[in-house]
Amino acid sequence: MARQLTENRIVLASHNSGKVREIRELLAPFAVEVVSAGELDLPEPDETETTYKGNAILKAKAAALASGLPALSDDSGFELMAINKDPGIYSARWAGPDKDFGLAMEKVNTAFEASGSDDRHCRFICALSLVWPDGHDETVEGIIDGDFVWPPRGTNGFGYDPIFQLKGHEQTFGEVDPEWKDSVSHRAKAFAQLLDRCFRDTPKGS
Ligand code: IMP
């Protein structure tokens, strides 16, 4: 039986404002105060693991130990099959120190063209980990499939959203309504699993 979240305050172990906004929305129905790692001035650990789940646990554990509160973290990425699932766990790093996702998307397209492949299958993956200060973790993963589009389209969302078109749809995540993205995304899928596992006893907000 998975551990239940009964505390009324948690830390969101992320410094990415796009993710913080989306996760706050997902947690909105609960009577749980969400503070971000940035607000608590917690350091950002190096992501030294080789899997999304490993990095999600690493980040949440660091925040839980530093704050004494349960911590929730997200490790996610964009994968393009034709280029060996790059950038994958290095998705944030492909944007460089300036976090320039225009540049990161250019790199994806350059690698895609160099591959000679016409397979545009890509996906977003999200691992979510909830870690308590005693080190216990509950960790889940959500995946969605899409098509890589070029050139990028739309200014909504963040990161690789303008080059991701969910299978069966005609707009990129950069073009769709953010609320709709929140309801179908890899993060939403992972979150649904986490809710099912750990939030059964969590008080709802008014
Ligand atoms: P990390 O989990 O902090 O290593 O960063 C994951 C990176 O993957 C983000 O910086 C984004 O570039 C990308 N990413 C993850 N989720 C999304 C999403 O929902 N839309 C667009 N890009 C995403």
Side-chain angles (χ1 to χ4, degrees):
M1 168 79 178
R3 190 182 288 185
Q4 299 298 302
L5 181 81
T6 51
E7 293 83 347
N8 56 15
R9 198 164 181 242
I10 66 170
V11 188
L12 207 47
S14 176
H15 291 256
N16 175 323
S17 57
K19 286 188 195 171
V20 169
R21 186 197 64 75
E22 287 188 11
I23 295 174
R24 271 192 206 275
E25 290 286 316
L26 291 164
L27 284 169
F30 297 94
V32 175
E33 187 194 344
V34 181
V35 285
S36 77
E39 283 159 1
L40 294 182
D41 223 8
L42 302 180
E44 221 172 339
D46 288 336
E47 296 181 14
T48 51
E49 294 291 331
T50 54
T51 62
Y52 298 100
K53 282 188 174 176
N55 279 328
I57 294 169
L58 175 153
K59 288 188 271 188
K61 204 166 264 182
L65 291 180
S67 66
L69 295 168
L72 177 63
S73 89
D74 160 308
D75 196 70
S76 44
F78 170 80
E79 298 186 344
L80 179 56
M81 301 309 148
I83 56 169
N84 300 316
K85 300 186 185 169
D86 276 342
I89 61 164
Y90 302 107
S91 292
R93 279 164 267 186
W94 274 37
D98 294 337
K99 304 197 173 169
D100 180 348
F101 283 97
L103 172 72
M105 291 188 285
E106 289 277 359
K107 284 189 195 169
V108 169
N109 187 50
T110 302
F112 178 68
E113 286 187 346
S115 76
S117 170
D118 59 2
D119 177 9
R120 294 184 168 269
H121 178 203
C122 58
R123 52 190 197 174
F124 270 131
I125 301 193
C126 170
L128 285 177
S129 183
L130 182 58
V131 177
W132 280 261
D134 67 0
H136 179 86
D137 79 275
E138 297 289 345
T139 305
V140 296
E141 200 166 78
I143 301 179
I144 52 172
D145 291 288
D147 291 308
F148 163 58
V149 305
W150 195 261
R153 296 200 316 257
T155 52
N156 291 340
F158 65 97
Y160 298 84
D161 280 339
I163 57 171
F164 182 91
Q165 190 167 284
L166 191 64
K167 285 274 182 208
H169 293 265
E170 291 183 353
Q171 288 182 305
T172 68
F173 270 2
E175 296 174 304
V176 300
D177 175 18
E179 271 182 34
W180 183 76
K181 178 192 165 187
D182 287 353
S183 69
V184 296
S185 74
H186 46 317
R187 205 158 286 106
K189 278 188 151 183
F191 205 74
Q193 291 178 53
L194 194 69
L195 289 191
D196 196 42
R197 258 168 106 133
C198 304
F199 284 65
R200 291 181 189 181
D201 301 341
T202 309
K204 294 275 197 313
S206 50

